Amino acid sequence: MNALALRPVFVWLEITGLCNLKCRHCYADSSPQGDHGDMTDGDWFRVMDELKVLGVRDVQFIGGEPTLHPGLPAFIRHALKCGMRVEVFSNMTHIRDEVWEVLQLPNVRVAFSYYSDTPEDHDDVTENRGSHARTRANVDKARELGIEMRGSVINVLQAQRGDYASHELLQLGIRDVRTDGIRPFGRGAQGATPSLGRLCGRCGRGKFAISPRGEVWPCVFARWMPVGNVHTQSLTDIYDGDEMRNVRGVLEEAFPHTKAQPSSCLPDMCTPNCNPSFETCNPQLACVPDAQCGPTGSNGDGDGGEGSGKRITAQPVRMSPRRSVRYHNPGVSDTDC
């Protein structure tokens, strides 16, 4: 096994499992019943200091809903002090004054999920009435404050007005608008066992994720494959350790194209920085590299499991309990990454 290991440049910091929403497709299975885990503020500061030594350039604070963590403003300031660029992925429904303050700092931007231009669609996905109105109001406020933003339109429901949502965000002046489908993990898997074949194959190379309990995963979607814990190990030891190397090797065997053509897709194609749209695509609507660089190669074809190159057979879909349309099925999504 070659198990090529690129130096880490991007890390997801999942600072909480608590969320004020309970979105139907959430890969992290976050909800109002979640918590902040056992990582103290000091633990997160130490982690960021270690990331600086490793040469990490970018971090994304995620959850759960990261704005619900009382330490987020201090975490953002510390990451900036360590020379890293910051993105906060939020549902944009619950932003305190002190969070608004740090979001206006240089090298900080906000990413947010958006589901439809209509409250009915959006709120059906989030399972929280009024969430669309709160998100939309805070997007407007962020624009007024000059905060850099990235919109992510996720198609969850059939007949969902995702295209209209993308158009609305573009009309608001948000240049970076991306689309995605259900990632078949967490609630998005609808009870199915996580499948290695639904990953991109480059997990743990140039990127990794840290959980609210200190677990390190090769990717936020590969949370069933922990490779260490920052409570007992240094990040250098984890990233260069046997467990991470074993995971990379397993993925190379499952996705041979990642070994044969290591540069065919950028290693950070699942991260916020993979955005070629302004150089090579429609400058008004960002391309979605995870849709183009699918598990079976660069053509975006779906995967039949273990990198086989076959399309997954469509599985039965569930009816929404409150609408007459059906869910998109994760098995037929071509945006797994």
Side-chain angles (χ1 to χ4, degrees):
M1 293 184 182
N2 184 27
L4 175 66
L6 299 168
R7 299 315 306 165
V9 294
F10 172 83
V11 175
W12 291 276
L13 300 178
E14 188 170 305
I15 59 175
T16 183
L18 174 66
C19 187
N20 55 322
L21 307 180
K22 193 175 181 180
C23 298
R24 300 178 181 279
H25 61 293
C26 180
Y27 67 83
D29 205 20
S30 301
S31 73
Q33 287 71 51
D35 57 47
H36 298 324
D38 61 8
M39 288 282 285
T40 66
D41 289 5
D43 289 331
W44 285 117
F45 294 147
R46 173 177 53 82
V47 159
M48 285 183 271
D49 290 340
E50 291 188 45
L51 295 179
K52 177 182 178 180
V53 173
L54 284 171
V56 170
R57 300 194 305 261
D58 296 271
V59 292
Q60 185 188 70
F61 291 101
I62 57 172
E65 172 51 40
T67 63
L68 295 177
H69 195 297
L72 179 63
F75 297 160
I76 291 174
R77 294 182 186 279
H78 195 82
L80 294 173
K81 182 180 178 182
C82 290
M84 293 178 282
R85 294 172 295 192
V86 171
E87 182 174 83
V88 178
F89 205 110
S90 170
N91 59 38
M92 296 286 281
T93 64
H94 184 278
I95 302 182
R96 311 183 309 275
D97 289 344
E98 55 267 36
V99 175
W100 281 120
E101 182 179 347
V102 294
L103 293 181
Q104 297 176 68
L105 296 174
N107 293 317
V108 178
R109 75 170 177 179
V110 177
F112 63 96
S113 298
Y114 201 60
Y115 304 107
S116 177
D117 61 331
T118 68
E120 294 79 13
D121 267 357
H122 187 99
D123 294 354
D124 199 0
V125 173
T126 65
E127 302 223 304
N128 188 291
R129 298 307 172 194
S131 62
H132 179 271
R134 295 193 299 275
T135 295
R136 188 65 171 74
N138 280 329
V139 168
D140 287 341
K141 181 173 180 177
R143 287 178 57 245
E144 293 171 1
L145 293 173
I147 295 170
E148 183 180 356
M149 286 184 287
R150 173 170 72 88
S152 179
V153 177
I154 303 173
N155 291 299
V156 180
L157 304 166
Q158 288 188 357
Q160 179 182 325
R161 292 169 56 91
D163 290 343
Y164 291 91
S166 297
H167 181 73
E168 180 185 11
L169 295 180
L170 290 168
Q171 290 297 106
L172 289 173
I174 300 174
R175 289 195 67 216
D176 192 347
V177 180
R178 312 181 193 184
T179 60
D180 202 354
I182 297 175
R183 303 301 184 104
F185 307 102
R187 285 196 294 276
Q190 299 182 5
T193 301
S195 170
L196 185 71
R198 305 312 294 172
L199 300 173
C200 72
R202 289 182 172 79
C203 309
R205 296 198 213 161
K207 60 192 174 189
F208 56 88
I210 303 173
S211 85
R213 286 172 172 74
E215 281 189 314
V216 177
W217 306 311
C219 167
V220 286
F221 303 118
R223 54 188 64 218
W224 78 92
M225 295 192 293
V227 294
N229 194 298
V230 298
H231 285 308
T232 57
Q233 301 164 273
S234 73
L235 282 173
T236 298
D237 288 344
I238 293 172
Y239 191 77
D240 294 331
D242 291 340
E243 291 296 323
M244 184 72 93
R245 285 200 298 268
N246 289 340
V247 166
R248 295 187 193 113
V250 168
L251 290 169
E252 277 194 358
E253 292 298 313
F255 302 93
H257 69 276
T258 65
K259 178 168 59 175
Q261 299 176 353
S263 61
S264 61
C265 279
L266 292 176
D268 63 347
M269 68 186 185
C270 290
T271 72
N273 300 312
C274 191
N275 180 16
S277 60
F278 305 138
E279 288 77 33
T280 61
C281 304
N282 185 336
Q284 293 302 312
L285 185 61
C287 291
V288 187
D290 13 326
Q292 294 182 353
C293 302
T296 60
S298 60
N299 61 358
D301 284 345
D303 181 73
E306 309 304 313
S308 65
K310 300 178 181 178
R311 286 191 178 275
I312 287 183
T313 303
Q315 302 170 6
V317 297
R318 294 187 298 163
M319 294 296 293
S320 166
R322 288 198 294 273
R323 36 186 304 147
S324 58
V325 298
R326 299 176 297 172
Y327 292 113
H328 282 306
N329 190 285
V332 295
S333 170
D334 281 336
T335 56
D336 303 318
C337 181

